[in-house]
Structure formats: C-alpha cells, structure tokens
Amino acid sequence: MGQAQNLQLQVTVQEAEEANSPGHINATNQSTISQPRTFMQLLRMTIFTLFVLSGQSAAILLGRFYYDKGGS
C-alpha cells in the first residue's frame, strides 16, 4: 500500500511541475493574446460579408430596375 501512495505522490508532483513549466505558461499566454486577434479577424470577415451581400443586392435591384424600364 505504501508503494501505491508513493507512486501517486510522484505522479502528482510531476503534473504540478509540468503545469508550472515555462512552456505551459507560454501556451496559456498565447491563447489569451490571440483572442483579440481572433475577434478582429471575425469582425473583418463580417464586414466583408456585409459589403459583398449588399453589393449583390444592389446589383440585382439595379438590374431589375433597368430591365423593367426597358421593357415598358
């Protein structure tokens, strides 16, 4: 029973050391830094999509207006 507890303690210590390692801290910082960058990319894509859709709608409306006038 003592060996099992000792092994569990060693595993717990190793997990704690890995969590406090510099590589783990950098990975955590990178994920928090990339959140505003991801938001800005999403915002740009949304604005671009709105421009594309509004341009297509305007083209359809102008085309219908032009062809409706020509046929009358």
Side-chain angles (χ1 to χ4, degrees):
M1 199 61 146
Q3 289 180 343
Q5 290 176 348
N6 191 15
L7 182 61
Q8 181 64 31
L9 181 61
Q10 288 177 353
V11 169
T12 306
V13 168
Q14 286 178 350
E15 288 175 354
E17 287 175 355
E18 289 175 0
N20 291 330
S21 68
H24 183 74
I25 292 172
N26 288 340
T28 304
N29 288 342
Q30 287 176 354
S31 66
T32 57
I33 290 172
S34 67
Q35 286 176 355
R37 200 174 291 168
T38 303
F39 175 75
M40 289 303 294
Q41 288 176 346
L42 181 62
L43 183 63
R44 287 180 187 154
M45 287 177 57
T46 304
I47 291 172
F48 177 75
T49 303
L50 288 174
F51 279 133
V52 168
L53 293 177
S54 64
Q56 288 177 348
S57 299
I60 290 171
L61 290 175
L62 289 174
R64 286 183 179 176
F65 178 72
Y66 176 77
Y67 287 114
D68 188 39
K69 281 286 196 180
S72 296

